Amino acid sequence: MRKNGWRAVIEVGFIIFLFYSNLLMGEFERSGMGQKRGISWAIEDVFTAANFGIATIAALTGYILFEFLRKRF
């Protein structure tokens, strides 16, 4: 049981990491303001409570979906 708990924490953490890295990369695209305002502004713009809530919900949903698919197939 303990091994499954750590596995869940690692997988959810990785999904959250991918979410934030995608948002941060988006700040430095052509339409993003990160190129003009800098990395510290981009980090401040990306790491908000709303984004953390979205990342957490998406990560838990993704984890549950992949666990379902692992057990099914």
Side-chain angles (χ1 to χ4, degrees):
M1 185 68 176
R2 183 176 246 173
K3 187 177 180 180
N4 289 340
W6 278 112
R7 180 179 174 181
V9 168
I10 290 169
E11 289 184 16
V12 167
F14 186 67
I15 294 170
I16 290 174
F17 166 75
L18 291 176
F19 176 81
Y20 276 114
S21 64
N22 188 28
L23 285 178
L24 195 56
M25 285 188 299
E27 289 291 341
F28 289 95
E29 292 290 323
R30 290 184 197 174
S31 62
M33 292 297 293
Q35 290 179 347
K36 294 178 184 173
R37 295 191 177 181
I39 187 75
S40 61
W41 177 86
I43 290 173
E44 189 176 313
D45 189 49
V46 167
F47 288 98
T48 63
N51 283 344
F52 182 73
I54 293 168
T56 304
I57 291 169
L60 291 174
T61 303
Y63 174 74
I64 291 168
L65 177 67
F66 277 101
E67 281 300 311
F68 171 76
L69 292 174
R70 277 188 191 127
K71 291 177 183 176
R72 180 128 172 127
F73 299 104

